[in-house]
């Protein structure tokens, strides 16, 4: 019977030293004031080029990242693979604004896809469209009826070519790629681009996934409509379901610009829609490829139960669970141990350039109710278990 309480399985690839380091890190992250001060101090130190890279790399970077390069991630990929957990290589460099950097990012993403052809433990790749295009361009493109000037038309054409290059490589190399979701005021344009790529490359097999953030109050209906359209146009709808990552920013912008917040009023409403979406995808599994990106135990158990009670085998290639490296190992490892498909997001990139991602992880663990306490409790339980069985 599936249980997320088995810490022996959950931490089977962690040494006592690893667990104690993680405990100290989560203990610090669990103090909001300290996390806030730490963010300010880290950003300041990086800005004036203080030599803190070594400290960062041995602590928060080691917990949440695989390395600075694809090659440096090889040990993490193998370690996860030894327990039947795949790796989603996530090039987590942010904040670039010029074409040279965008092209370099495209090439790096393609390298992550190629890595999947060399190693069966890398079943997916992923990218953010804001990593290969200007945010301001995406804001304008979001309005389907916007009139673009000549320069913007060229930029959108270039963006489409970049996305197509990535998705065609994913198709040709048989390593599907996720297009990540972003802020609501650029998401309509991203959805259109994702659907274009699915129509092109998902006819015979799954090559491209869109990402749907279920904390938005319109996404369940959006998902139903998108799957209906995919069926009519005869392509597989690939979807990674997540709750969402920009809640505070979304609500703040809605207040500032005086429009209704697109975010559910309560977490319970989000949870209900997330689980409804899981059921809908499984019910349509012949037409939908699902990746459940969640750290929520209830949703993870719910999906496992749906699969178990249906005629679908646990390792059906169209159903995956996914979590972030360094978090919720009790979910990932116990699911994999029961024969379900599981993959971990493994961010990588130069320490300095991955810091925005790492600081968001610290924020996430501080703000999500119970997340840090749950991690600490499980680590403590396993350390006690190990001491008692010595």
């Amino acid at each position: 019977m599936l249980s997320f309480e088995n810490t022996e399985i959950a931490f089977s690839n962690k040494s006592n030293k690893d667990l104690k380091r993680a405990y100290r890190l989560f203990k610090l992250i669990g103090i909001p004031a300290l996390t806030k001060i730490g963010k300010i101090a880290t950003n300041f130190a990086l800005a004036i080029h203080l030599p803190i890279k070594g400290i960062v790399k041995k602590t928060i970077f080691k917990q949440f990242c695989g390395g600075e390069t694809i090659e440096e991630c090889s040990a993490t990929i193998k370690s996860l693979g030894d327990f039947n957990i795949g790796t989603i290589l996530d090039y987590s460099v942010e904040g670039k604004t010029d074409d040279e950097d965008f092209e370099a990012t495209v090439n790096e993403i393609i390298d992550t896809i190629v890595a999947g052809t060399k190693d069966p433990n890398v079943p997916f790749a992923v990218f953010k469209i804001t990593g290969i295009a200007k945010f301001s361009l995406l804001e304008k493109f979001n309005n389907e009826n916007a009139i673009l000037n000549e320069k913007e038309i060229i930029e959108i054409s270039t963006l489409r070519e970049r996305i197509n290059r990535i998705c065609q490589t994913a198709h040709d190399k048989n390593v599907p790629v996720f297009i990540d979701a972003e802020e609501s005021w650029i998401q309509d344009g991203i959805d259109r681009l994702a659907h274009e790529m699915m129509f092109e490359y998902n006819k015979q097999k799954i090559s491209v996934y869109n990402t749907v953030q279920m904390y938005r109050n319109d996404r369940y209906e959006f998902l139903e409509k998108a799957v209906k359209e995919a069926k009519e146009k005869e392509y597989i709808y690939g979807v990674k379901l997540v709750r969402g990552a920009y809640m505070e920013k979304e609500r703040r912008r809605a207040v500032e610009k005086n429009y209704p917040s697109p975010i559910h009023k309560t977490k319970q409403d989000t949870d209900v829609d997330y689980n409804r979406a899981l059921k809908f995808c499984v019910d349509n599994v012949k037409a939908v490829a699902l990746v459940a990106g969640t750290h929520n135990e209830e949703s993870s158990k719910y999906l496992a139960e749906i699969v178990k009670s249906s005629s679908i085998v646990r390792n059906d290639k169209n159903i995956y669970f996914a979590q972030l490296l360094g978090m919720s190992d009790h979910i990932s490892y116990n699911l994999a141990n029961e024969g379900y498909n599981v993959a971990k997001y493994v961010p990588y990139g130069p320490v300095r350039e991955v810091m925005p991602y790492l600081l968001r992880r610290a924020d996430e663990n501080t703000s999500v109710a119970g997340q840090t306490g749950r991690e600490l409790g499980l680590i403590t339980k396993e350390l006690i278990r190990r001491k008692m069985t010595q």
Side-chain angles (χ1 to χ4, degrees):
M1 183 177 177
L2 177 64
S3 169
F4 296 142
E5 300 301 319
N6 190 323
T7 58
E8 182 177 6
I9 292 173
F11 299 116
S12 46
N13 76 329
K14 299 288 193 299
S15 67
N16 287 349
K17 183 179 178 181
D18 291 333
L19 289 177
K20 289 174 181 176
R21 185 194 67 251
Y23 182 89
R24 289 192 294 271
L25 182 61
F26 280 115
K27 195 76 173 174
L28 291 172
I29 288 173
I31 305 172
L34 194 58
T35 300
K36 186 175 181 179
I37 293 168
K39 282 178 62 177
I40 295 169
T42 301
N43 285 327
F44 177 74
L46 290 170
I48 64 173
H49 300 284
L50 288 178
I52 66 165
K53 175 181 172 180
I55 297 170
V56 172
K57 196 165 184 179
K58 290 177 181 177
T59 53
I60 190 169
F61 188 92
K62 188 174 180 64
Q63 181 70 19
F64 297 119
C65 295
E68 293 195 76
T69 64
I70 292 174
E71 290 72 24
E72 281 191 17
C73 293
S74 58
T76 298
I77 295 170
K78 183 182 184 307
S79 176
L80 292 170
D82 287 343
F83 295 90
N84 298 315
I85 296 174
T87 287
I88 305 163
L89 286 169
D90 182 9
Y91 184 57
S92 296
V93 172
E94 303 177 1
K96 301 301 182 182
T97 57
D98 63 56
D99 282 340
E100 185 178 345
D101 287 326
F102 292 151
E103 282 298 315
T105 297
V106 170
N107 292 332
E108 188 70 31
I109 294 160
I110 287 173
D111 285 346
T112 66
I113 295 170
V114 172
T117 67
K118 299 174 182 177
D119 192 334
N121 291 319
V122 182
F124 301 104
V126 62
F127 71 103
K128 292 169 74 79
I129 288 184
T130 50
I132 59 174
K134 294 176 184 174
F135 195 96
S136 57
L137 177 70
L138 294 171
E139 281 187 290
K140 190 164 185 181
F141 179 70
N142 198 60
N143 180 354
E144 199 166 5
N145 298 315
I147 299 172
L148 305 177
N149 61 38
E150 186 176 347
K151 182 171 181 276
E152 290 165 340
I153 290 170
I154 293 171
E155 288 177 332
I156 289 296
S157 177
T158 301
L159 172 60
R160 275 196 167 93
E161 187 277 329
R162 287 172 181 152
I163 297 170
N164 186 69
R165 214 186 318 158
I166 293 167
C167 293
Q168 183 172 356
T169 304
H171 178 270
D172 293 349
K173 301 294 186 182
N174 290 313
V175 180
V177 64
F178 303 146
I179 298 176
D180 265 350
E182 308 203 44
E183 291 88 344
S184 62
W185 55 98
I186 62 171
Q187 188 60 45
D188 287 351
I190 291 172
D191 290 334
R192 293 199 304 274
L193 292 166
H195 293 174
E196 286 176 20
M197 293 300 108
M198 285 193 217
F199 179 74
E200 182 69 24
Y201 294 112
N202 285 7
K203 292 286 181 68
Q204 304 299 326
K205 60 183 180 180
I206 183 68
S207 296
V208 181
Y209 288 75
N210 194 19
T211 302
V212 177
Q213 300 181 103
M214 298 309 299
Y215 70 171
R216 285 183 53 176
N217 53 37
D218 64 345
R219 290 295 91 175
Y220 185 80
E221 289 72 21
F222 167 85
L223 179 62
E224 286 187 318
K225 183 180 177 182
V227 171
K228 180 182 178 183
E229 180 181 317
K231 287 180 178 179
E232 291 170 351
K233 294 184 176 180
E234 299 183 331
Y235 65 85
I236 304 165
Y237 194 79
V239 61
K240 178 175 60 128
L241 289 178
V242 299
R243 277 173 167 75
Y246 307 99
M247 184 174 69
E248 292 178 6
K249 184 191 288 188
E250 291 278 3
R251 286 177 171 163
R252 184 168 61 248
R253 186 177 190 269
V255 170
E256 290 171 354
K257 295 189 175 292
N258 194 30
Y259 62 82
S261 171
I263 306 302
H264 275 303
K265 291 181 179 178
T266 68
K267 182 181 181 299
Q268 183 180 3
D269 290 338
T270 298
D271 292 342
V272 168
D273 263 11
Y274 190 92
N275 288 351
R276 284 174 72 203
L278 291 177
K279 182 70 163 57
F280 174 77
C281 289
V282 173
D283 287 346
N284 291 275
V285 72
K286 291 184 178 179
V288 177
L290 166 68
V291 174
T294 180
H295 292 210
N296 184 285
E297 293 178 18
E298 181 187 343
S299 292
S300 299
K301 284 184 179 179
Y302 180 63
L303 177 54
E305 287 167 4
I306 298 171
V307 171
K308 187 177 179 181
S309 63
S310 70
S311 58
I312 305 167
V313 295
R314 292 185 184 188
N315 64 345
D316 185 294
K317 63 182 178 62
N318 277 358
I319 299 177
Y320 256 84
F321 296 79
Q323 290 82 39
L324 296 168
L325 182 70
M327 294 171 61
S328 300
D329 285 345
H330 64 299
I331 295 176
S332 307
Y333 282 79
N334 280 295
L335 282 168
N337 188 66
E338 291 290 323
Y340 295 96
N341 293 322
V342 182
K344 284 278 201 183
Y345 263 67
V346 176
Y348 76 96
V351 171
R352 180 180 297 274
E353 299 190 51
V354 173
M355 280 311 300
Y357 168 85
L358 291 172
L359 294 175
R360 278 206 311 278
R361 290 288 73 78
D363 271 346
E364 181 176 306
N365 278 277
T366 301
S367 62
V368 176
Q371 178 71 45
T372 301
R374 183 65 166 141
E375 298 284 356
L376 287 169
L378 290 163
I379 291 169
T380 301
K381 180 180 176 181
E382 175 58 12
L383 287 171
I384 292 171
R385 187 199 69 79
R386 291 183 183 186
K387 188 173 182 180
M388 291 179 66
T389 56
Q390 282 179 347

